[in-house]
Amino acid sequence: ERVADINEDTIPSELYHQALKRGLRQPSVQCNEQQMQACKLLDDYSNHTNAVIFIPPGTGKSFSWNGILLARFLRGSKRKKFIVLSPHSALLAQHVLQSKDFFHGTSLKVISLTAADLDSANMNGDFDLCYISIHAFALIVKSKRDLLKSWSVGSIYIDECHLLFCEIFRIGNSWNSLQDIVAFETKLVALSATLNPFAIQILANYMGIQKNYEVIGDAISYHLPDV
């Protein structure tokens, strides 16, 4: 058990490889180029640049939060809380199980919130990683905004962010919670395997980050995984 008492903006890159090995229980694996690029950008407390992660399915987008938390834990370094916004309950439940398995044997705490949980759930911010359905997040933004700010979240991840353009029927009650989300003063990370430069620009403007973001991955290097 490590005590998170080391106060540092960055940690050695080798820790991300160690986190992947431990989390997957595979001693020979290494972070790929995009995973390492994401970790170095997102886990630098002195760098306030936001990110859009545009890489194929199954290539480890979730490591950009699971890997960072586990790497900081292994180091004994002070870590920030993460929120992951999930578009669908089934995906949220799957990610919760994956993260708990990835953190097995540690004290890293994973919780989840859906709209049905908001009245009864423990809302004191006692977590390292919190998965929130996009609809629940919209309700929190509307009625519990101060509580959300009190959690002092380091990064908010928006998974499958391209659905902002697809699920028009949920714009009025869910996806509109992303409008000017920059006001929460956290690092913002939008993730998708289905984007293009124009969509990224629109998304950045909608979230309020304007041009303060870096794109990780691109269409040129987008190779389908060998399955």
Side-chain angles (χ1 to χ4, degrees), residues 120-184:
S120 59
N122 184 352
M123 302 286 284
N124 63 7
D126 181 22
F127 62 84
D128 293 286
L129 174 60
C130 178
Y131 289 96
I132 306 180
S133 70
I134 189 66
H135 184 53
F137 184 73
L139 296 176
I140 291 173
V141 168
K142 183 177 180 180
S143 61
K144 301 178 184 290
R145 197 178 188 92
D146 290 340
L147 177 64
L148 182 60
K149 288 185 175 181
S150 73
W151 290 348
S152 300
V153 173
S155 297
I156 297 178
Y157 293 78
I158 303 101
D159 198 20
E160 307 295 352
C161 62
H162 62 272
L163 292 177
L164 171 69
F165 304 99
C166 305
E167 297 186 336
I168 304 300
F169 63 97
R170 294 175 70 187
I171 288 293
N173 59 19
S174 297
W175 288 106
N176 61 328
S177 61
L178 299 187
Q179 188 168 15
D180 296 325
I181 192 175
V182 70
F184 289 106

